[in-house]
Amino acid sequence: MNIMFVNTWMWLFLLILHALEAGVFAVDSKQFNILYLIADDLRPTLGCYSDPVVKSPHIDQLASVSTVFHNAYAQQAVCGPSRVSFLTSRRPDTTKLYDFNSYWRVHAGNYTTLPQYFKSNGYTTLSVGKVFHPGIASNHSDDYPYSWSVPPYHPPSFKYEKRKVCKDKDGTLHSNLLCAVDVSEMPLGTLPDIENTAEAIRLLESMKDSHNPFFLAVGFYKPHIPFRIPREYLKLYPIESMTLAPDPDVPKKLPDVAYNPWTDIRKREDVQALNLSFPYGPIPKDFQLQIRQHYFASVSYVDAQVGKILQALDDFGLAKDTIVVFSSDHGWSLGEHGEWAKYSNFDVATRVPLIVYKPGVTSPFPRPGEKTFPFIDVFQGTREQFGKGRGVESVVELVDVFPTLSNLAGLRPLRRCPSSSFKIELCTEGSNLANLIRNQERELNREAYSYSQYPRPSDSIQENSDLPDLADIRIMGYSIRSNDYRYTLWVGFDPIRCQPNMTDIHAGEMYLLAEDPGEDNNVFDEFDHASVLHKLDIFL
């Protein structure tokens, strides 16, 4: 045999072996674990989303080796409906859940959930913390045993979340919005997300040598109110460095039906003491600054929990075998438009972070001994600099997560739901984003849209405008978000048949984002609606 021929093939063999060890070639047939991290009420106030204030080194570190979706949106800006929507990949008009008071398998259809689909494909599925919304919205069981291999974990300390544990300056205890605490003084000496993190790490360790792949969902309770967080995180955000929202006033042309009167905020003792008028009475500026300070501190607290779980992936040798998703159920207003909390169709309420890491795809496989997620002490005062990862600017939705994860894991693809899918157990109303994760986005998809909706009991603002029960819903706001505009129609709604009447228009909103990124100038009355109405017809 020719010596040169042998040497050439030997050289090629060594080159390929080296490339495999370095993780240059991604092997899609490999069976990956899934780690799905879900924050509660988190808007994209993160360093990796170019926020100049928030310190989020661990999520930023994750983003640096991931695909980062910069325009991802929830389908309804409230916990229960949003979570059921993205965990079933069905929109609220299909799940028929607009409040917290029904179980979709009984009220709408026996839809297969994201973890249930992985469970049916041989995965051990595990839930920690707030993944499904608790109560009847998940059959008082977090949809166990359908979705989970073992009963979901809930931290014992969560039962104290709404009790009088917030210490005032005089030492008395209250049920406050602002509730930075000394953890050692708390009942059980801990906090729910600290317990969630410890349990998630325990489960990762228990699964590290398993022959079955795992799907582990971890639902953090923060930055949801009350802001009951370790006091030390406030030090990261000195009150003198806090600023108000850039648009803290209610827009002049905002229809009353579109306004969120943040009723749940008003129920807290420290907010009640402000004697605010309903519904538009503004919060004093000094208190606004404190709310923003506590929200940002809550984000850094969640970031630290994320960092500890990601570090555990490294410690247990799982980082090379695990797809990681980080997201939220919806956003949260921080004084924009004179609003607080969620409960609207604005970007601040519907836009969420969405970050997807797949080793060997969004970044090379880690080398032996190499740490992908080393823990960072945010209190050391150093602001870590990370790459931006692969950014995607096209509009995407949370209903896209289910078909995307299924594809990335190599499972049988989900078929697109037909226009009426109440009797179909497994299908998706979202889109598969795997190609955007495997390949760099080449150009903006201007034909991509997100759809959200929000119910109201009346045209005028009431105490229950934020979260009306299904029987009280009379108006539904259907909203389209493109890269160029947000368009919302508030139309009559039949709560018995769960159907809108698109000819019964109560109000409308139109925001041209190039000139009005904060959605402050409603130009609905100046706009030709025909082309956008066609897209709403497709949605409905």
Side-chain angles (χ1 to χ4, degrees):
M1 184 178 289
N2 187 295
I3 296 296
M4 183 176 293
F5 179 80
V6 173
N7 287 341
T8 299
W9 277 103
M10 182 62 71
W11 178 82
L12 284 173
F13 172 76
L14 292 173
L15 184 65
I16 292 169
L17 183 63
H18 174 74
L20 287 170
E21 289 177 347
V24 172
F25 300 127
V27 183
D28 275 343
S29 60
K30 179 183 178 70
Q31 202 163 33
F32 283 86
N33 306 307
I34 305 291
L35 174 61
Y36 193 177
L37 304 172
I38 306 168
D40 198 347
D41 290 15
L42 176 64
R43 58 195 247 166
T45 48
L46 300 163
C48 54
Y49 283 85
S50 301
D51 187 280
V53 177
V54 169
K55 298 174 175 61
S56 53
H58 300 102
I59 299 171
D60 297 347
Q61 180 176 240
L62 172 64
S64 72
V65 293
S66 301
T67 296
V68 180
F69 294 90
H70 291 283
N71 287 294
Y73 294 88
Q75 277 47 78
Q76 187 177 327
V78 69
C79 302
S82 176
R83 288 166 187 265
V84 168
S85 175
F86 67 72
L87 288 167
T88 61
S89 197
R90 313 291 184 103
R91 301 181 188 279
D93 277 351
T94 306
T95 66
K96 297 184 179 181
L97 183 68
Y98 313 101
D99 54 16
F100 298 150
N101 302 323
S102 64
Y103 181 40
W104 79 91
R105 293 189 190 274
V106 174
H107 188 61
N110 189 31
Y111 309 139
T112 300
T113 69
L114 170 60
Q116 181 183 1
Y117 188 54
F118 275 81
K119 182 183 176 185
S120 69
N121 280 276
Y123 278 68
T124 300
T125 56
L126 307 161
S127 173
V128 172
K130 185 178 178 181
V131 179
F132 284 100
H133 193 83
I136 189 56
S138 57
N139 203 32
H140 299 284
S141 66
D142 296 79
D143 199 44
Y144 174 79
Y146 290 101
S147 290
W148 311 110
S149 302
V150 298
Y153 170 84
H154 293 286
S157 66
F158 185 72
K159 66 182 178 182
Y160 300 100
E161 191 72 358
K162 296 182 180 180
R163 299 189 186 179
K164 293 180 183 291
V165 295
C166 313
K167 187 180 291 186
D168 212 339
K169 293 179 180 179
D170 61 3
T172 57
L173 298 179
H174 300 272
S175 177
N176 285 346
L177 173 67
L178 310 180
C179 191
V181 300
D182 293 322
V183 175
S184 62
E185 296 179 357
M186 287 295 95
L188 307 182
T190 188
L191 292 174
D193 281 335
I194 295 174
E195 290 184 290
N196 281 340
T197 299
E199 177 64 10
I201 293 171
R202 186 191 72 79
L203 289 172
L204 288 174
E205 184 173 21
S206 72
M207 293 300 297
K208 66 180 181 181
D209 297 319
S210 173
H211 295 296
N212 285 351
F214 64 80
F215 179 109
L216 170 60
V218 184
F220 301 104
Y221 291 100
K222 297 301 164 212
H224 193 290
I225 64 171
F227 299 123
R228 188 165 75 107
I229 59 170
R231 189 181 307 279
E232 57 266 27
Y233 285 92
L234 291 183
K235 298 176 183 177
L236 299 173
Y237 304 96
I239 194 67
E240 59 271 16
S241 67
M242 293 295 98
T243 58
L244 299 176
D247 50 352
D249 300 321
V250 179
K252 293 180 180 179
K253 295 183 180 180
L254 183 71
D256 283 348
V257 70
Y259 184 72
N260 144 39
W262 34 280
T263 305
D264 56 347
I265 301 289
R266 298 171 188 272
K267 294 176 182 178
R268 307 291 165 166
E269 290 183 32
D270 50 352
V271 178
Q272 287 179 346
L274 301 174
N275 294 316
L276 305 173
S277 61
F278 184 90
Y280 290 120
I283 293 175
K285 292 182 179 179
D286 61 337
F287 201 87
Q288 290 190 42
L289 294 174
Q290 290 182 67
I291 295 176
R292 289 169 67 87
Q293 175 198 36
H294 280 70
Y295 184 90
F296 299 150
S298 299
V299 174
S300 291
Y301 166 53
V302 169
D303 180 78
Q305 310 316 307
V306 169
K308 292 173 183 177
I309 294 172
L310 292 177
Q311 181 188 33
L313 278 185
D314 273 334
D315 291 345
F316 301 140
L318 295 167
K320 67 182 184 303
D321 303 316
T322 303
I323 296 169
V324 181
V325 183
F326 177 83
S327 189
S328 173
D329 50 359
H330 45 72
W332 211 79
S333 299
L334 280 170
E336 296 86 359
H337 316 113
E339 296 183 339
W340 303 88
K342 47 255 188 180
Y343 314 121
S344 83
N345 282 312
F346 280 122
D347 265 29
V348 286
T350 56
R351 184 168 170 245
V352 295
L354 178 59
I355 300 168
V356 181
Y357 162 77
K358 182 175 181 181
V361 174
T362 60
S363 65
F365 285 107
R367 296 176 183 273
E370 180 183 19
K371 294 293 186 182
T372 306
F373 304 115
F375 189 79
I376 302 159
D377 187 351
V378 71
F379 294 103
Q380 290 299 313
T382 57
R383 184 137 189 158
E384 299 288 336
Q385 297 296 320
F386 297 102
K388 294 291 186 181
R390 296 180 181 178
V392 174
E393 299 299 327
S394 297
V395 169
V396 302
E397 306 179 276
L398 284 184
V399 286
D400 300 338
V401 172
F402 189 161
T404 301
L405 271 184
S406 301
N407 184 285
L408 290 176
L411 305 186
R412 180 170 54 86
L414 275 65
R415 66 167 170 152
R416 186 83 175 180
C417 292
S419 57
S420 178
S421 62
F422 294 108
K423 295 182 179 180
I424 300 175
E425 294 187 9
L426 180 62
C427 65
T428 176
E429 294 180 356
S431 300
N432 176 14
L433 307 177
N435 283 337
L436 287 172
I437 293 170
R438 292 192 176 101
N439 305 291
Q440 191 78 28
E441 182 183 44
R442 294 184 177 180
E443 60 181 354
L444 188 67
N445 181 5
R446 295 198 172 275
E447 295 303 311
Y449 304 94
S450 75
Y451 299 95
S452 65
Q453 59 191 100
Y454 209 86
R456 299 290 190 217
S458 70
D459 290 301
S460 59
I461 302 169
Q462 303 178 175
E463 289 285 341
N464 67 336
S465 287
D466 282 349
L467 192 60
D469 291 339
L470 175 58
D472 297 325
I473 297 172
R474 295 293 178 270
I475 302 169
M476 186 69 72
Y478 289 97
S479 190
I480 302 174
R481 174 60 155 85
S482 76
N483 281 100
D484 302 314
Y485 61 81
R486 176 175 289 284
Y487 180 88
T488 305
L489 272 186
W490 297 92
V491 300
F493 187 80
D494 179 352
I496 296 175
R497 295 186 300 153
C498 294
Q499 287 187 351
N501 180 354
M502 298 306 292
T503 64
D504 180 21
I505 299 175
H506 290 238
E509 300 168 79
M510 181 69 173
Y511 305 102
L512 303 178
L513 301 173
E515 58 198 57
D516 182 25
E519 301 174 348
D520 297 307
N521 183 27
N522 181 12
V523 296
F524 181 81
D525 293 335
E526 308 165 25
F527 193 72
D528 178 10
H529 305 275
S531 62
V532 185
L533 282 172
H534 173 66
K535 294 179 176 62
L536 259 184
D537 288 339
I538 294 173
F539 167 36
L540 297 169

